Each structure stands twice: as C-alpha cells, then as structure tokens.
Amino acid sequence: QVQLVESGGGLAQAGGSLRLSCAASGRAFSLPTMGWFRQAPGKEREFVAAIISRSKYYADSVKGRFTISRDNAKDTEYLQMNSLIPEDTAVYYCAASQGGYSPYYESYDYWGQGTQVTVSS
C-alpha cells in the first residue's frame, strides 16, 4: 500500500520561507517520479515541481524561488519555498508517478492529503 503524508504547511509573510515534507511509505519511494502540485480556491490543481533521478522541473511561476529535493534514505521528498508571495497561497499536494516526468496531475498515481500554505501580504 502506498501512502504519502505531507507536513510543514502554515502561515508565512510575503518574502518568507516554508519547507514542505512528504513522507512516503509502502512502495511509493520506489516510484521514479515525485512531484508537488497546488490548488487554490476556485482554481484547477496546478503543477509546481517534480523530480526524477537527479533531474528537477519547475513551473515558471516558482522557478528560482522553490527547490524540490528527495532523500532516498529517509523516503522523504521536500519542497523548500523561499521569497513567498500571496499568490503561492494554496493547498499543496505531494504526488508520485510510475511514469516519467509530467506536469499533468492525471499522470500521477498516488497523492497525499494536502497541506495548507497561506502567505500574507
């Protein structure tokens, strides 16, 4: 059974930082692609970042501000978020895929429950 559990969300001021963690259990961490998505109220779920092996991919809106990483020894994925802006406010989801890199949420097979990130101006 695959489980993904996010943590680290919360409230931050604009310009601040947060680090999200995604702990994987079962066979989740053997899956090649791990990613982060987010969904703001009234909006579609959107791609934030993905990592496959040593390759990292980012949405244009977060490039240069967010960093994705994974620690295979700890079965944990991270999203370091710096220079936060109010537009980053959303529920952030960890995801895992049996396939290669994709920015489309339909390509991901497993999801966490989400963690709220709120950025105040």
Side-chain angles (χ1 to χ4, degrees):
Q1 184 176 356
V2 173
Q3 282 191 320
L4 301 173
V5 180
E6 302 97 334
S7 61
L11 177 65
Q13 290 189 333
S17 299
L18 286 173
R19 188 175 81 155
L20 305 183
S21 300
C22 173
S25 62
R27 52 183 288 272
F29 227 69
S30 66
L31 300 176
T33 302
M34 299 290 291
W36 289 94
F37 286 75
R38 66 186 182 186
Q39 188 166 19
K43 293 189 176 181
E44 294 277 318
R45 189 168 299 191
E46 66 174 2
F47 171 76
V48 175
I51 184 168
I52 173 168
S53 187
R54 296 180 180 179
S55 299
K56 302 179 182 182
Y57 306 87
Y58 298 96
D60 288 343
S61 59
V62 306
K63 202 172 293 183
R65 300 188 298 121
F66 290 10
T67 302
I68 188 172
S69 62
R70 61 191 292 178
D71 185 336
N72 291 333
K74 296 182 178 180
D75 289 348
T76 302
E77 177 192 31
Y78 303 97
L79 184 69
Q80 178 66 43
M81 306 186 294
N82 298 329
S83 302
L84 287 163
I85 59 177
E87 290 75 15
D88 294 322
T89 296
V91 177
Y92 283 70
Y93 297 91
C94 171
S97 170
Q98 301 177 74
Y101 162 68
S102 171
Y104 303 108
Y105 67 84
E106 298 91 341
S107 301
Y108 289 75
D109 305 290
Y110 304 98
W111 292 88
Q113 81 288 352
T115 186
Q116 177 70 46
V117 171
T118 303
V119 183
S120 63
S121 56

